[in-house]
């Protein structure tokens, strides 16, 4: 890493205090991590057998839970006859944080009776991903779905062309709102942003992420949030087409039409389905990158060299602000504060009844420890796939090196899987749990505290481990959980986005 890059990494927390870093630049890691850290459990898991009844129950879709998406139009949501001006927002973070910011931006424009300019996505400072809104989401679909709710334009009129990110980055500007508190109320926007709109006809809100409350909001505004998230935000066609191809190859791996061709880009596969029943597959979001490992301050079995490397990285990126580093590994694990390694995720899935014939799609960025750590998971699930194994380099050309587009493909495939499993909490976990809850789809949420305690117990037999895992996840497979105060509507869509049937 060059001197300039080191200085930039050191300054990240200062320049971007609200930045959620999903992954890290490539930094050498210890290659001595054991393939199996829980070898006794792993040996039994490799020899596991599941009955037809267990398999049937595992893959059975969720029963109807008495809730459904709300579809009734809200009279209060009509577009005002006269716009009060233009609203701009600049969004940082990864794909899922930006997605939530887009939803909030639409609602803020509604609160202010303003016209929303398609949000500008900041360049990701870690991956240097410059993907724009238009690169990820179908803009015309976005505007059309919301045309009866909010006025939205693709760009500012010429008379406001001076209002750019660069303009606001060079000096204090009266049209920039930079004091919006986290979880600001609708009243705050009316008090503080409306006067700027009235004076200048435009207001740019930055920073904006998490700047709108989830509580004490009128029902029609909550419904609008839901409409944006679950209906208006559709990915661009080439993301959907690639996603459909991956889904088809996961469901019908033996279909002749699914063979990956290096000479053909996205062959038409969606109509080449065999006559027999649909194959099933699960998506695993394995959130185990270097940032996650370092910030957790847990021991992942790589020895002193790895622990030292993670501690040094932790100090460089976050200084002394990682509270977890004050606790022992045993304390952190017993509290469920350690991300699951690929091996531990594999043992969890095996205990839940997934067998070695499971088609498993791996949705993730680079895994800390590389293939050596992933190999433990692969040995338990040899039919594990990812974008590279399912699609040719030509098919992946439009998303190569674009973290947001790669994440969009994973999101799309995840929303079409029979079961989704997120190894550790985070923005992707929150977004997928909420979206799949909205559609009543099976989503397994690992019981981190339980698993941490089980993995600390080195005397557990496989049957004891399996029984504890199954019992501890009975109600963590997509069951409706009503949103509590201060919780995110995007993670808990009921009751704000859903109605009792």
């Amino acid at each position: 890493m060059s001197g300039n890059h080191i200085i930039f990494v050191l300054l990240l927390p200062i320049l971007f205090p609200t930045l959620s870093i999903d992954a890290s630049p490539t930094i050498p890691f210890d290659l001595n991590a054991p393939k199996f850290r829980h070898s006794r459990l792993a040996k039994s898991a490799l020899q596991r057998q599941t009955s037809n009844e267990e398999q049937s129950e595992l893959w059975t879709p969720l029963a109807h839970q008495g809730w459904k998406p709300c579809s009734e139009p809200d009279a209060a949501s009509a577009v005002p006859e006269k716009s009060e001006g233009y609203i701009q927002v600049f969004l940082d973070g990864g794909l899922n944080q930006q997605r939530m910011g887009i939803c909030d931006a639409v609602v803020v424009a509604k609160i202010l009776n303003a016209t929303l300019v398609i949000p500008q996505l900041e360049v990701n400072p870690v991956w240097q991903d410059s993907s724009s809104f238009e690169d990820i989401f179908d803009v015309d679909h976005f505007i059309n779905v919301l045309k009866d709710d909010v006025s939205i334009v693709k760009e500012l009129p010429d008379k406001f062309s001076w209002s750019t990110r660069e303009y606001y980055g060079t000096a204090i500007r009266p049209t920039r709102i930079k004091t919006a508190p986290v979880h600001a109320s609708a009243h705050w926007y009316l008090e503080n942003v409306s006067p700027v709109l009235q004076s200048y006809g435009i207001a740019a809100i930055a920073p904006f992420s998490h700047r709108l409350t989830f509580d004490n909001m009128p029902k029609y505004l909550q419904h609008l949030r839901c409409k944006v998230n679950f209906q208006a935000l559709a990915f661009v066609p080439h993301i959907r087409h690639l996603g459909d191809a991956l889904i088809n190859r996961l469901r019908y791996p033996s279909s002749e039409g699914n063979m990956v061709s290096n000479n053909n880009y996205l062959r038409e596969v969606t109509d080449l389905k065999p006559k027999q029943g649909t194959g099933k597959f699960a998506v695993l979001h394995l959130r185990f990158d270097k940032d996650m490992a370092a910030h957790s301050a847990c021991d992942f079995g790589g020895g002193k060299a790895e622990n030292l490397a993670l501690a040094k990285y932790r100090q460089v990126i976050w200084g002394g602000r990682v509270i977890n580093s004050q606790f022992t590994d045993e304390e952190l694990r017993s509290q469920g504060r350690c991300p699951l390694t690929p091996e531990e995720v594999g043992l969890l899935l095996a205990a839940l009844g997934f067998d070695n014939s499971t088609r498993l799609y791996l949705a993730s960025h680079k895994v800390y420890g590389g293939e050596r750590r992933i190999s433990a998971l692969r040995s338990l699930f040899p039919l594990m796939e990812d974008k590279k194994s399912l699609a040719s380099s030509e098919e992946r050309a439009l998303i190569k090196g674009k973290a947001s587009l790669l994440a969009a493909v994973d999101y799309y495939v995840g929303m079409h899987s029979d079961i989704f499993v997120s190894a550790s909490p985070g923005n992707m976990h929150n977004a997928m749990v909420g979206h799949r809850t909205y559609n009543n789809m099976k989503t397994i949420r690992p019981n981190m505290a339980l698993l941490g305690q089980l993995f600390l117990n080195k005397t557990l037999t496989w049957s004891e481990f399996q029984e504890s895992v199954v019992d501890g996840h009975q109600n963590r497979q997509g069951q409706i959980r009503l949103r509590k105060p201060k919780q995110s509507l995007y993670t808990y869509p009921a009751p704000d986005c859903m109605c009792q049937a």
Side-chain angles (χ1 to χ4, degrees):
M1 184 180 287
S2 69
N4 288 337
H5 283 115
I6 292 174
I7 292 172
F8 178 72
V9 171
L10 284 168
L11 289 175
L12 273 176
I14 299 172
L15 294 173
F16 303 94
T18 62
L19 179 64
S20 172
I21 303 178
D22 293 328
S24 62
T26 301
I27 294 179
F29 46 75
D30 179 28
L31 295 177
N32 295 320
K35 181 175 181 179
F36 285 114
R37 193 180 185 193
H38 308 286
S39 55
R40 290 178 70 255
L41 292 176
K43 182 178 180 181
S44 297
L46 288 167
Q47 299 171 348
R48 72 195 185 280
Q49 292 185 353
T50 57
S51 67
N52 290 335
E53 290 78 13
E54 288 174 314
Q55 285 294 297
S56 177
E57 182 179 354
L58 177 66
W59 292 100
T60 298
L62 284 177
H64 181 60
Q65 300 183 66
W67 291 83
K68 65 177 183 178
C70 292
S71 57
E72 299 82 1
D74 294 299
S77 194
V79 177
E81 293 183 5
K82 180 180 181 299
S83 172
E84 297 296 325
Y86 294 91
I87 289 291
Q88 287 180 290
V89 296
F90 304 93
L91 302 174
D92 58 18
L95 171 70
N96 295 295
Q97 186 174 336
Q98 291 172 337
R99 184 187 186 102
M100 297 171 196
I102 292 166
C103 298
D104 286 349
V106 171
V107 176
V108 166
K110 182 66 182 177
I111 291 169
L112 298 170
N113 285 334
T115 297
L116 177 68
V117 184
I118 290 292
Q120 181 173 324
L121 310 185
E122 301 281 38
V123 175
N124 188 299
V126 174
W127 291 102
Q128 289 300 301
D129 185 354
S130 59
S131 297
S132 66
F133 186 107
E134 294 86 348
D135 293 329
I136 305 169
F137 300 107
D138 186 327
V139 177
D140 291 332
H141 174 83
F142 180 76
I143 293 175
N144 184 60
V145 168
L146 299 171
K147 68 180 186 298
D148 295 328
D149 303 284
V150 179
S151 175
I152 303 174
V153 296
K154 296 180 181 180
E155 55 187 24
L156 286 168
D158 289 342
K159 68 176 182 177
F160 292 121
S161 61
W162 48 265
S163 185
T164 64
R165 188 68 181 89
E166 293 72 25
Y167 172 77
Y168 294 111
T170 56
I172 297 175
R173 309 292 186 181
T175 52
R176 178 186 175 185
I177 309 297
K178 60 186 299 185
T179 57
V182 173
H183 303 312
S185 67
H187 179 74
W188 187 92
Y189 282 96
L190 292 170
E191 286 282 303
N192 295 274
V193 183
S194 284
V196 177
L197 286 175
Q198 292 168 7
S199 297
Y200 301 96
I202 188 170
I205 310 172
F208 184 72
S209 295
H210 309 297
R211 292 313 200 272
L212 183 63
T213 184
F214 290 109
D215 300 325
N216 302 315
M217 294 278 284
K219 188 175 181 179
Y220 78 94
L221 291 179
Q222 298 290 63
H223 280 191
L224 180 56
R225 254 178 167 155
C226 308
K227 185 175 183 179
V228 181
N229 194 34
F230 302 127
Q231 299 178 40
L233 285 176
F235 295 121
V236 292
H238 77 84
I239 294 292
R240 303 198 304 270
H241 292 163
L242 177 56
D244 286 335
L246 300 182
I247 292 162
N248 195 271
R249 291 164 192 171
L250 285 162
R251 292 205 184 281
Y252 314 107
S254 61
S255 174
E256 186 175 329
N258 286 334
M259 298 300 292
V260 176
S261 169
N262 288 328
N263 298 317
N264 295 328
Y265 175 70
L266 285 188
R267 294 178 60 185
E268 291 296 329
V269 297
T270 54
D271 294 328
L272 299 176
K273 298 180 180 180
K275 295 180 181 179
Q276 300 302 319
T278 301
K280 297 182 183 297
F281 72 96
V283 167
L284 168 64
H285 181 234
L286 189 61
R287 190 170 182 240
F288 193 75
D289 53 51
K290 182 146 191 171
D291 281 334
M292 188 78 172
H295 195 273
S296 71
C298 300
D299 182 350
F300 299 106
K304 292 183 179 180
E306 180 179 82
N307 289 339
L308 181 62
L310 289 174
K312 185 176 181 180
Y313 182 77
R314 186 161 57 243
Q315 185 64 31
V316 168
I317 298 295
W318 298 287
R321 299 189 299 277
V322 177
I323 298 176
N324 280 4
S325 59
Q326 302 171 16
F327 300 93
T328 66
D329 180 71
E330 289 76 14
E331 289 172 329
L332 292 172
R333 289 189 179 279
S334 64
Q335 297 169 19
R337 296 164 72 175
C338 292
L340 299 176
T341 65
E343 175 194 358
E344 290 168 345
V345 172
L347 293 173
L348 163 66
L349 296 180
L352 288 172
F354 292 91
D355 63 18
N356 60 8
S357 68
T358 300
R359 301 286 294 181
L360 190 64
Y361 176 85
L362 188 61
S364 189
H365 289 307
K366 183 176 291 185
V367 172
Y368 177 59
E371 182 57 35
R372 184 168 182 82
R373 273 210 167 92
I374 296 177
S375 64
L377 175 62
R378 197 182 302 279
S379 65
L380 292 168
F381 297 96
L383 301 184
M384 186 169 68
E385 307 279 6
D386 58 21
K387 290 179 285 293
K388 287 186 178 180
S389 67
L390 288 172
S392 68
S393 57
E394 286 81 5
E395 289 176 309
R396 293 181 281 109
L398 292 178
I399 65 172
K400 184 178 181 180
K402 300 287 188 179
S404 294
L405 300 185
L406 292 166
V409 171
D410 286 341
Y411 191 105
Y412 186 86
V413 175
M415 279 305 301
H416 289 79
S417 64
D418 299 278
I419 301 174
F420 180 84
V421 185
S422 184
S424 300
N427 287 326
M428 176 73 161
H429 166 96
N430 294 339
M432 289 298 298
V433 165
H435 204 157
R436 289 177 66 89
T437 296
Y438 184 78
N439 290 335
N440 197 46
M441 302 171 75
K442 185 168 284 190
T443 308
I444 296 175
R445 298 180 299 111
N447 187 331
M448 304 295 286
L450 170 66
L451 292 169
Q453 294 163 20
L454 293 178
F455 287 128
L456 283 172
N457 188 342
K458 302 302 181 183
T459 65
L460 276 181
T461 65
W462 174 253
S463 60
E464 291 171 334
F465 175 78
Q466 185 174 30
E467 183 179 358
S468 295
V469 167
V470 171
D471 289 345
H473 290 82
Q474 288 288 345
N475 296 311
R476 302 179 69 88
Q477 301 191 29
Q479 288 80 3
I480 293 284
R481 294 174 295 157
L482 299 184
R483 187 179 72 84
K484 298 176 182 178
K486 297 184 179 180
Q487 288 183 331
S488 170
L489 169 152
Y490 306 119
T491 308
Y492 305 94
D496 302 276
C497 304
M498 307 180 74
C499 301
Q500 289 185 291

